[in-house]
Amino acid sequence: MEYFDIRTPDGNVTGEIKERTLVHRDGDLHGTSHVWLARKNAAGKWEILLQKRSQGKDSFPGAYDISSAGHLPAGQEFLESAVRELEEELGIAAGPEELRFVGWHDATIVTEFYGKPWNNHELSAVYVLYRDLEPEEMRLQASEVESVLWMEYDECRKRMQDGTLEHCIFLDEFQMLGEYLNGKGNKDECHAHSGQK
């Protein structure tokens, strides 16, 4: 069984801990970490790594999603969880200092899966990791991730909006990521490359 800390709207823990299925039944606010992998392609455009969720997931099976994301287990904080999920889901070892904080995202989804109500209210810490790795260089967690693919940011946003990409990504979060990449991201990337031989 998985247990989550119930949180306040500013991300602090309330002291209450609940089991995952009850949190999703009752719509309690809980924490998640979202990490987007980004790289520049030969044309100088940003590409984003999408993961395809495994068919066995309890929500949105088979849909394209954030590069790496996960709920915060009780007692764990956002950045620590982000680093752990990267290692578990994609086999990518990254130091906390490599993750750039993009912002906070508060979202609610009320739907159902497998005939059961699913009321999800999550506060997400959104990060970006600049890493140019091909899918075959990653070690995917089969129970979580079916496959991964790189897609140019603008194409991904267009396909999300026109319905040609089956996904469970929040469009406002994706736009926040794009604004970050086209602002601070360009500076981050230049800085990173200037330190390489």
Side-chain angles (χ1 to χ4, degrees), residues 24-25 57-61 111-119:
H24 285 152
R25 181 196 71 187
K57 292 290 287 181
D58 66 354
S59 61
F60 303 104
T111 183
E112 66 172 53
F113 292 101
Y114 309 107
K116 292 183 181 175
W118 197 75
N119 185 357

Side-chain angles (χ1 to χ4, degrees), residues 39 41-50 149-158 174:
R39 70 181 185 184
N41 62 20
K45 302 271 191 181
W46 284 109
E47 291 184 340
I48 305 299
L49 186 80
L50 300 177
L149 66 86
W150 288 99
M151 189 179 293
E152 199 171 285
Y153 177 89
D154 291 334
E155 180 192 350
C156 185
R157 185 177 61 188
K158 178 179 175 294
F174 198 67

Side-chain angles (χ1 to χ4, degrees), residues 52-70:
K52 188 174 188 184
R53 294 165 69 85
S54 77
Q55 295 297 333
K57 292 290 287 181
D58 66 354
S59 61
F60 303 104
Y64 282 101
D65 202 354
I66 297 155
S67 313
S68 171

Side-chain angles (χ1 to χ4, degrees), residues 12-181:
N12 292 317
V13 295
T14 63
E16 184 183 1
I17 295 172
K18 281 177 79 168
E19 197 269 321
R20 176 188 182 123
T21 56
L22 299 179
V23 169
H24 285 152
R25 181 196 71 187
D26 299 338
D28 299 298
L29 181 60
H30 57 286
T32 62
S33 289
H34 294 177
V35 182
W36 294 93
L37 264 68
R39 70 181 185 184
K40 286 272 186 82
N41 62 20
K45 302 271 191 181
W46 284 109
E47 291 184 340
I48 305 299
L49 186 80
L50 300 177
Q51 70 154 265
K52 188 174 188 184
R53 294 165 69 85
S54 77
Q55 295 297 333
K57 292 290 287 181
D58 66 354
S59 61
F60 303 104
Y64 282 101
D65 202 354
I66 297 155
S67 313
S68 171
H71 294 82
L72 272 60
Q76 200 163 90
E77 282 307 315
F78 292 92
L79 185 56
E80 179 188 4
S81 181
V83 169
R84 176 183 54 78
E85 290 284 353
L86 271 170
E87 178 78 48
E88 287 179 4
E89 291 188 353
L90 304 178
I92 294 174
E97 72 286 349
E98 293 181 82
L99 273 62
R100 299 283 192 268
F101 181 69
V102 174
W104 294 101
H105 186 259
D106 188 324
T108 302
I109 301 176
V110 179
T111 183
E112 66 172 53
F113 292 101
Y114 309 107
K116 292 183 181 175
W118 197 75
N119 185 357
N120 186 45
H121 185 192
E122 61 182 48
L123 180 68
S124 307
V126 183
Y127 302 96
V128 66
L129 174 67
Y130 305 110
R131 194 64 68 89
D132 189 359
L133 288 172
E134 294 308 317
E136 56 271 19
E137 297 177 82
M138 301 175 202
R139 190 183 68 253
L140 306 183
Q141 185 180 14
S143 62
E144 298 280 335
V145 185
E146 184 178 307
S147 61
V148 293
L149 66 86
W150 288 99
M151 189 179 293
E152 199 171 285
Y153 177 89
D154 291 334
E155 180 192 350
C156 185
R157 185 177 61 188
K158 178 179 175 294
R159 290 187 60 192
M160 286 166 62
Q161 289 173 317
D162 69 17
T164 59
L165 183 72
E166 185 189 348
H167 71 92
C168 56
I169 297 163
F170 295 105
L171 187 56
D172 58 340
E173 178 179 333
F174 198 67
Q175 288 171 332
M176 179 171 74
L177 171 69
E179 288 164 11
Y180 183 93
L181 289 174

